[in-house]
Amino acid sequence: MNGKILIVALATALGGAGLAGCESAGRFLRRDQLVAPPKVCASHRFEVYFADGEAGLTPAAQRAITAAAERLQGCDIQKARVIGLADARGGDAANLTLSERRAEAVARALNEAGWPAPVFELDAAGETGAVSGGVNTPLRRRVEVLIEAAPRR
């Protein structure tokens, strides 16, 4: 019995003040009036990871690329910066070449998914900034993709 009284008292107290942002002129607002949907055609970033010493796309990498391509399908892709990275194992020249091959593989897959080739800007960082023998080593075996997109006009 006391629980019912407390709920009624609380509801009465809140009814006079209203819940911030939830009620307007005695009626509750719809979700779409309170929450803006995420902008699909905006800047995005995603990463594609590779096996040690490899530039071929893994099934997980292909899924990440396909998901990004599908998510931005109705957008005007203005620029896609594709940056290949490598860990610190191996020589400088080999790691730079591996980074370039990784960036090219991702750009090729995005192009095959329907993105226009002229928007790609390819870079390779090689092992610059990598930590030899540390926990960061596997995290460096990747390509970063930075996308600038806008709604189609």
Side-chain angles (χ1 to χ4, degrees):
M1 182 76 130
N2 287 342
K4 290 182 183 177
I5 294 172
L6 179 61
I7 291 172
V8 171
L10 183 60
T12 303
L14 289 176
L19 296 175
C22 291
E23 189 175 356
S24 175
R27 65 177 182 83
F28 286 96
L29 299 176
R30 294 186 321 267
R31 183 181 191 283
D32 64 333
Q33 293 172 308
L34 297 171
V35 180
K39 293 183 179 180
V40 175
C41 297
S43 296
H44 287 281
R45 178 184 184 273
F46 69 95
E47 296 174 339
V48 177
Y49 290 89
F50 292 82
D52 185 20
E54 298 292 324
L57 297 175
T58 64
Q62 190 61 55
R63 284 191 300 273
I65 291 167
T66 300
E70 288 174 356
R71 183 173 50 248
L72 297 170
Q73 188 174 20
C75 304
D76 177 22
I77 307 298
Q78 298 170 334
K79 181 178 168 183
R81 186 165 182 217
V82 184
I83 308 163
L85 301 159
D87 58 30
R89 294 181 351 161
D92 291 348
N95 283 332
L96 187 58
T97 299
L98 180 60
S99 296
E100 290 169 350
R101 290 179 37 227
R102 287 174 173 170
E104 289 167 357
V106 171
R108 188 171 37 256
L110 287 168
N111 184 249
E112 289 170 0
W115 288 16
V119 300
F120 295 111
E121 179 182 305
L122 301 180
D123 289 318
E127 64 185 42
T128 303
V131 177
S132 180
V135 293
N136 292 334
T137 299
L139 299 177
R140 287 288 301 196
R141 298 177 194 141
R142 72 181 191 277
V143 166
E144 293 180 5
V145 182
L146 310 168
I147 303 157
E148 292 179 20
R152 286 198 177 137
R153 295 176 195 207

